[in-house]
């Protein structure tokens, strides 16, 4: 039985008349959400199970760096953080493909100026968000692990990770931003009889560091996301501000070429020399770091409901953990913050309505990005080597140039636009059909029948969009004029 030993923060919070909001998890999404809510005038306290990473050196957890794209930037911009965040970003203009013969070529991400994504350190971004949260009046309690929730009594059981004390805290409103293993999600599922589906990928990942040269310079092109695609798996590398790269090997867990098959240093060395020969000299002690660094698990979590009445709601990975191959998990979580903040604004004190609307808006979009992230693994590890894929990509850009309001490559819709994910998915499917048909007998973009392309776009995108109320970006007039 947990003692009722309330932490100081709760006592001070209850002295004010403001609605108090408890967030579990001061990761990327919980920290940003706390800023949005503090700026709306709520009393916000965040419980985080880890120590304060500003005082204790801890591994930020999975992936040392991440790709930040437009959705995430938009969410940071809306609370005035982008000037500060910009100082930490390294733009990546495309995929630098390393083939097995050691040849390297760049596949740009977008066709327009500014269509780049940005490498950012997870730890630095998290610290920046926690600093901004505290500056906005948020209280963050570190070393406080939420062990469980009693949703009927609106009580939270917290463990003090330093002293081992267990305390019970009341809450008014609770937000679960506690990541893929969310305790808040468990409690919501339990009280509502809801469903939680976890699909673990049969591939895992391992991070390895590529250090700078003796003079501190980058060993690879700094402004690209490097990929060594090998069909069934891949190695990638993203730049860090100190001249290093964080490389990640994505590999099946079991099988002939798998984490299970790399048992000894000699196996690792032989595998890298066989499959990633040009990368081997980039790693210092490849064998040592391979076994020192953990192998991480990847998966997709789909659950419903995301809320319990007007008392509790889930955001970020707690609601929708996805595989990392579209670089959108954090971006999607940041978009949740904008969406939830908007719902709170629209519904005032009617939390039940705000949470219901949030779930209604975000759930289909979370499902769509989960699917697209899985599909993108195949694109990154395999399709990028396929001439047909490259032809379709070049054609997609040509069509975007000709019909900018009607045809936007799916990758661009996800990374550079704010179109809802579900809409990007829907339009992406139609566009994929058009690209398939147009490239059936063409080998180059010049060989594509452009009159047919126009007809297909009008029939399948513009006429459908004109009838649809879901699209928020197509402008049939502008498109048909070109
Ligand atoms: C290898 C890899 C690469 C990735 N690359 C990208 C990328 O390039 N771009 C991108 O957008 N996304 C990327 N992602 C996804 C991204 O990391 C997540 O979507 C993002 O971290 C989700 O943030 P979150 O705050 O919801 O959850 P988390 O980051 O998991 O944070 C949850 C927080 O809650 C705390 N917590 C957990 N349980 C409790 C508890 N019981 N009590 C108290 N506190 C608790 C944790 O300590 C943590 O601080 C990647 C993920 C992986 C695995």
């Amino acid at each position: 039985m947990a003692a009722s030993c309330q932490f100081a923060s709760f006592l001070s919070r209850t002295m004010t008349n403001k609605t108090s909001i408890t967030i579990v998890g001061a990761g990327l999404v919980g920290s940003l959400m706390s800023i949005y809510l503090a700026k709306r005038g709520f009393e916000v306290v965040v419980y985080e199970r880890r120590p304060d990473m500003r005082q204790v050196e801890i591994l930020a957890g999975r992936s040392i760096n991440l790709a930040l794209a437009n959705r995430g930037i938009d969410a940071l911009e809306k609370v005035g953080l982008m000037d500060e965040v910009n100082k930490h970003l390294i733009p990546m203009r495309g995929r630098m493909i390393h083939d097995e013969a050691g040849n390297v070529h760049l596949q740009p991400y977008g066709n327009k100026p500014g269509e780049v994504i940005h490498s950012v350190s997870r730890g630095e971004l998290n610290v920046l968000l926690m600093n901004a949260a505290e500056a906005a009046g948020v209280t963050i309690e570190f070393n406080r692990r939420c062990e469980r929730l009693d949703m009927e009594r609106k009580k939270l059981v917290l463990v003090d990770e330093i002293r081992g004390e267990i305390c019970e805290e009341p809450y008014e409103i609770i937000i679960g931003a506690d990541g893929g293993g969310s305790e808040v999600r468990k409690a919501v599922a339990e009280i509502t009889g809801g469903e939680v589906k976890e699909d673990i990928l049969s591939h895992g990942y391992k991070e390895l560091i590529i250090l700078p040269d003796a003079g501190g310079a980058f060993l690879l092109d700094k402004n690209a996301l490097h990929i060594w695609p090998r069909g069934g798996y891949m190695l990638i590398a993203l730049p860090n501000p100190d001249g290093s790269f964080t490389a990640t090997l994505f590999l099946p867990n079991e099988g002939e070429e798998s984490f299970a098959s790399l048992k000894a240093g000699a196996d690792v060395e032989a595998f890298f020399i066989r499959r990633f020969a040009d990368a081997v000299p980039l790693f210092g002690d490849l064998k040592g770091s391979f076994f020192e660094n953990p192998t991480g698990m990847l998966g997709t979590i789909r659950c419903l409901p995301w809320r319990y009445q007007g008392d509790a709601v889930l955001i970020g990975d707690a609601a929708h953990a996805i595989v990392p191959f579209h670089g959108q998990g954090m971006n999607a979580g940041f978009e949740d913050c904008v969406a939830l903040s908007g719902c709170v604004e629209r519904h005032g004190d009617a939390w039940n309505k705000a949470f219901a609307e949030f779930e209604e808006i975000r759930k289909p979009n979370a499902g769509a990005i989960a699917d697209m992230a899985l599909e993108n693994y195949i694109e990154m590890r395999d399709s990028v080597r396929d001439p047909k894929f490259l032809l379709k990509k070049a054609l997609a850009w040509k069509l975007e140039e000709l019909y900018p309001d009607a045809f936007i490559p799916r990758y661009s819709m996800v990374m550079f636009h704010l179109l809802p994910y579900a809409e990007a998915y829907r339009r992406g499917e139609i566009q994929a059909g058009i690209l398939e048909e147009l490239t059936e007998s063409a080998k180059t973009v010049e060989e594509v029948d452009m009159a047919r392309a126009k007809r297909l776009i009008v029939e399948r995108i513009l006429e459908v969009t004109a009838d649809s109320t879901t699209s928020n970006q197509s402008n049939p007039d502008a498109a048909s004029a070109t």
Side-chain angles (χ1 to χ4, degrees):
M1 174 80 187
S4 186
C5 51
Q6 290 158 347
F7 297 126
S9 64
F10 181 77
L11 295 176
S12 63
R13 272 183 293 134
T14 51
M15 316 271 290
T16 74
N17 289 328
K18 295 178 181 175
T19 302
S20 114
I21 299 182
T22 301
I23 299 180
V24 183
L28 296 166
V29 177
S31 299
L32 182 61
M33 191 73 244
S34 73
I35 298 170
Y36 269 85
L37 293 169
K39 283 183 184 273
R40 290 212 167 281
F42 296 105
E43 190 85 42
V44 187
V45 66
V46 186
Y47 292 117
E48 168 55 51
R49 73 174 170 198
R50 294 180 303 188
D52 186 346
M53 61 172 79
R54 294 166 296 187
Q55 283 161 22
V56 184
E57 206 186 316
I58 51 165
L59 272 181
R62 305 144 305 159
S63 79
I64 292 159
N65 55 21
L66 304 136
L68 176 70
N70 279 31
R71 292 167 198 270
I73 289 173
D74 177 67
L76 293 163
E77 190 98 62
K78 286 192 162 101
V79 282
L81 291 177
M82 267 319 285
D83 283 350
E84 200 49 41
V85 172
N86 262 324
K87 296 177 192 158
H88 300 267
L89 302 184
I90 302 179
M92 299 182 289
R93 65 198 189 288
R95 295 169 174 155
M96 191 68 81
I97 307 294
H98 298 247
D99 73 17
E100 283 188 85
N103 302 310
V104 175
H105 75 276
L106 182 77
Q107 293 181 4
Y109 279 127
N111 199 22
K112 295 189 197 150
E115 289 193 336
V116 298
I117 59 175
H118 304 267
S119 179
V120 63
S121 148
R122 180 190 289 271
E124 280 174 20
L125 184 57
N126 212 151
V127 164
L128 188 156
L129 290 170
M130 291 191 299
N131 286 340
E134 286 175 345
V138 173
T139 304
I140 309 177
E141 301 264 2
F142 294 96
N143 302 302
R144 302 275 189 267
R145 178 168 56 82
C146 164
E147 193 174 69
R148 64 192 156 79
L149 285 111
D150 182 338
M151 292 214 152
E152 265 161 26
R153 293 167 55 233
K154 292 184 78 168
K155 296 258 165 102
L156 180 68
V157 178
L158 288 168
V159 177
D160 179 327
E161 296 280 68
I162 307 278
R163 281 176 285 181
E165 270 174 38
I166 300 180
C167 297
E168 225 179 39
E169 283 272 338
Y171 62 81
E172 273 185 86
I173 307 283
I174 196 155
I175 298 182
D178 48 345
S182 173
E183 285 301 329
V184 184
R185 183 179 68 234
K186 269 182 221 155
V188 169
E190 206 174 285
I191 199 159
T192 59
E195 239 188 83
V196 179
K197 197 165 161 265
E198 294 183 33
D199 291 320
I200 304 300
L201 201 70
S202 56
H203 293 217
Y205 72 98
K206 188 178 289 280
E207 290 185 339
L208 301 162
I209 286 290
I210 297 173
L211 291 172
D213 71 11
F218 287 93
L219 288 181
L220 298 165
D221 183 323
K222 167 189 176 186
N223 294 116
L225 189 153
H226 294 262
I227 310 185
W228 290 258
R230 295 297 180 261
Y233 52 85
M234 67 182 180
L235 177 70
I236 68 167
L238 276 74
N240 296 309
D242 66 358
S244 67
F245 280 82
T246 305
T248 311
L249 173 66
F250 294 97
L251 194 65
N253 294 322
E254 303 288 334
E256 202 179 319
E257 286 183 313
S258 68
F259 283 115
S261 72
L262 302 178
K263 291 194 184 74
D267 302 330
V268 174
E269 198 169 51
F271 172 67
F272 269 78
I273 289 172
R274 196 167 68 248
R275 304 295 283 176
F276 304 112
D278 68 325
V280 173
L282 303 173
F283 298 107
D285 174 19
L286 173 63
K287 290 183 278 184
S289 42
F290 190 92
F291 291 108
E292 266 164 34
N293 297 350
T295 306
M297 249 174 42
L298 299 167
T300 304
I301 294 176
R302 299 171 206 259
C303 66
L304 204 65
W306 285 8
R307 66 191 180 95
Y308 174 56
Q309 299 174 351
D311 296 350
V313 70
L314 304 171
I315 58 172
D317 276 18
H320 49 72
I322 61 177
V323 294
F325 306 112
H326 223 307
Q328 281 292 312
M330 164 190 68
N331 286 283
F334 283 0
E335 218 179 32
D336 286 349
C337 299
V338 180
L340 183 55
S341 179
C343 293
V344 170
E345 181 177 18
R346 278 188 291 283
H347 296 288
D349 275 353
W351 293 93
N352 199 3
K353 283 191 183 153
F355 292 169
E357 186 183 300
F358 173 73
E359 182 189 279
E360 193 184 320
I361 296 171
R362 293 301 291 164
K363 172 70 185 163
N365 290 314
I369 189 57
D371 291 342
M372 290 191 282
L374 284 162
E375 288 172 18
N376 220 48
Y377 188 22
I378 298 166
E379 177 168 320
M380 287 176 85
R381 73 185 198 212
D382 202 8
S383 314
V384 288
R385 310 183 300 173
D386 177 5
K388 184 78 181 269
F389 167 83
L390 297 177
L391 171 61
K392 285 182 185 169
K393 190 169 169 138
L395 176 60
W397 281 354
K398 183 77 195 165
L399 297 176
E400 184 186 27
E401 229 172 272
L402 292 171
Y403 310 103
D405 296 302
F407 197 106
I408 306 167
R410 187 173 94 176
Y411 186 85
S412 303
M413 285 193 273
V414 172
M415 303 306 273
F416 308 129
H417 291 254
L418 303 179
L419 197 65
Y421 289 121
E423 180 63 2
Y425 190 84
R426 188 190 69 79
R427 286 171 60 168
E429 292 287 283
I430 298 170
Q431 293 180 173
I434 294 176
L435 292 173
E436 184 61 38
E437 281 184 41
L438 292 174
T439 56
E440 252 160 23
S441 54
K443 293 228 162 18
T444 64
V445 172
E446 289 69 38
E447 285 174 29
V448 171
D449 177 349
M450 283 299 170
R452 186 168 168 223
K454 183 174 182 180
R455 203 174 60 246
L456 291 178
I457 289 173
V458 169
E459 279 170 21
R460 297 189 194 167
I461 300 177
L462 293 178
E463 287 175 1
V464 174
T465 306
D467 289 341
S468 150
T469 50
T470 50
S471 168
N472 65 3
Q473 283 203 354
S474 290
N475 177 351
D477 291 335
S480 55
T482 53

